[in-house]
Amino acid sequence: MDSKRQQKFASLLTKELAEVFRRDMPHLFAGTLPPSITALRVSPDLGVASVYLSVLLAQNPQEQVQLMQDHTKDIRFALAKRVRNHMRVVPDLRFFLDNSAAYATHMDKVISDLNIPPAPPEDEDKPQRPRLFADED
């Protein structure tokens, strides 16, 4: 469980990092939308921020995250300019691809492809009554 301080820092970093992606670094995302920050977790010492990204309309999302990792220094500098009045030290940024949307799509497809047979007709006619005891018939 994160402390209140970690939650406040994570909230501030999420908001400002989204603005950095949208306003200060649009050249990194030529032809695609800037990534969405799905989660941001800050270490207890506030020294490391793990940023989970969802990349839409990109041919290779992992390549986009790798590009972000390559430009971490520039992103951190732009972030520092925005949060300099709120933080003493800007945490190290670590970017990860969030696959939860792809996983949800996959699970939706698996569930929709399930072949569930209908209930036998004799069970439909008989009213169902909850059994209170095991020896009840």
Side-chain angles (χ1 to χ4, degrees), residues 72-117:
T72 300
K73 184 178 177 182
D74 300 329
I75 295 169
R76 188 170 178 235
F77 180 75
L79 180 64
K81 288 195 295 187
R82 290 182 164 273
V83 297
R84 67 177 174 239
N85 295 330
H86 304 285
M87 298 180 177
R88 277 190 201 150
V89 178
V90 177
D92 291 330
L93 301 174
R94 298 196 179 139
F95 297 102
F96 301 99
L97 183 62
D98 185 10
N99 291 328
S100 60
Y103 181 73
T105 303
H106 169 72
M107 289 308 296
D108 189 39
K109 183 181 180 324
V110 167
I111 291 171
S112 66
D113 290 345
L114 286 176
N115 185 11
I116 301 173

Side-chain angles (χ1 to χ4, degrees), residues 8 41 48 68 117 137:
K8 284 182 181 180
R41 294 197 175 87
V48 178
M68 303 279 294
D137 280 326

